[in-house]
Amino acid sequence: MTREEALELLKQHLHQPNLVKHCLAVEQCMRALARRLGGNEDTWGLAGLLHDLDYEVTEKSPELHTKETVKMLAPYNLPAEVLQAIQAHAGQVPCQSAMDWSIYAADPTTGLIIAAALMHPSKKLKAVDLDFLKRRFKEKGFARGARREEIEKCTNLGLTLDEFLGICLEAMQAIDQELGLA
């Protein structure tokens, strides 16, 4: 499956623009993490782009989240590692690889970064720096949905929290126009 095919499939199944933007953000983080950790950028990017493909279908049945995605993706013969990572991000299967841990930690990180940009006076992603992001990370009441305990699992990748947040922040800043935060 090409990125273009994956993006088309995503847009067929996700009708909420913010969900599509979230998937684009996770894709970018996954590509950057693949570069840093020696993974295949295209493979890791596909996992990031498609990880929430079934979100609108399973929103009221979270126990089915990613199970429906796997069914939707069956005709495309994707690598098993992509399907594994998609399921791992939602805790449906245990994390086993660097790609699994990356998506598990990157998924909530994108929400934290978006929330930090939206509360920044400029409302621009490029105005957010690592210190600003770390201060928001430490505020328990800020972006509660960005589960800190999952983000902190980035240490399973051999990265410090600062390194991980920096990689994801820089990756998302590169697509700030697509994310509507330029």
Side-chain angles (χ1 to χ4, degrees):
M1 175 180 277
T2 66
R3 181 187 187 273
E4 291 72 29
E5 291 169 328
L7 193 54
E8 185 59 37
L9 190 63
L10 191 73
K11 289 178 179 176
Q12 285 174 17
H13 291 280
L14 295 182
H15 303 99
Q16 298 173 36
N18 285 343
L19 281 175
V20 174
K21 289 176 186 179
H22 166 69
C23 291
L24 292 170
V26 175
E27 175 197 22
Q28 278 299 108
C29 292
M30 290 296 289
R31 287 179 166 280
L33 289 161
R35 280 191 299 277
R36 175 66 177 268
L37 300 170
N40 180 299
E41 270 188 68
D42 292 332
T43 303
W44 288 40
L46 275 178
L49 189 58
L50 296 170
H51 80 284
D52 275 347
L53 184 64
D54 68 6
Y55 189 84
E56 290 181 3
V57 175
T58 63
E59 193 170 9
K60 293 187 171 121
S61 304
E63 71 282 0
L64 298 176
H65 182 43
T66 73
K67 292 177 182 179
E68 292 301 312
T69 294
V70 170
K71 289 177 188 173
M72 291 173 182
L73 294 174
Y76 298 96
N77 199 28
L78 288 169
E81 64 185 321
V82 171
L83 301 176
Q84 162 71 24
I86 287 170
Q87 293 174 90
H89 101 270
Q92 294 288 5
V93 298
C95 292
Q96 299 175 351
S97 67
M99 184 163 64
D100 295 352
W101 284 114
S102 293
I103 199 166
Y104 184 80
D107 183 38
T109 300
T110 62
L112 178 74
I113 292 171
I114 295 293
L118 291 173
M119 72 102 43
H120 193 278
S122 72
K123 307 264 189 268
K124 295 185 186 308
L125 201 46
K126 287 188 175 155
V128 176
D129 62 18
L130 186 58
D131 287 336
F132 185 82
L133 185 59
K134 284 174 30 187
R135 285 195 305 275
R136 302 297 79 80
F137 181 87
K138 291 176 186 173
E139 294 173 19
K140 292 183 192 231
F142 179 78
R144 283 194 178 112
R147 299 164 307 280
R148 294 349 187 240
E149 65 281 357
E150 290 179 19
I151 296 170
E152 289 172 334
K153 295 293 183 181
C154 67
T155 57
N156 289 318
L157 299 166
L159 299 172
T160 65
L161 180 62
D162 284 9
E163 289 171 316
F164 181 77
L165 291 175
I167 290 167
C168 290
L169 177 60
E170 187 177 311
M172 289 174 62
Q173 287 172 332
I175 62 163
D176 63 341
Q177 296 265 350
E178 289 177 81
L179 300 178
L181 294 167

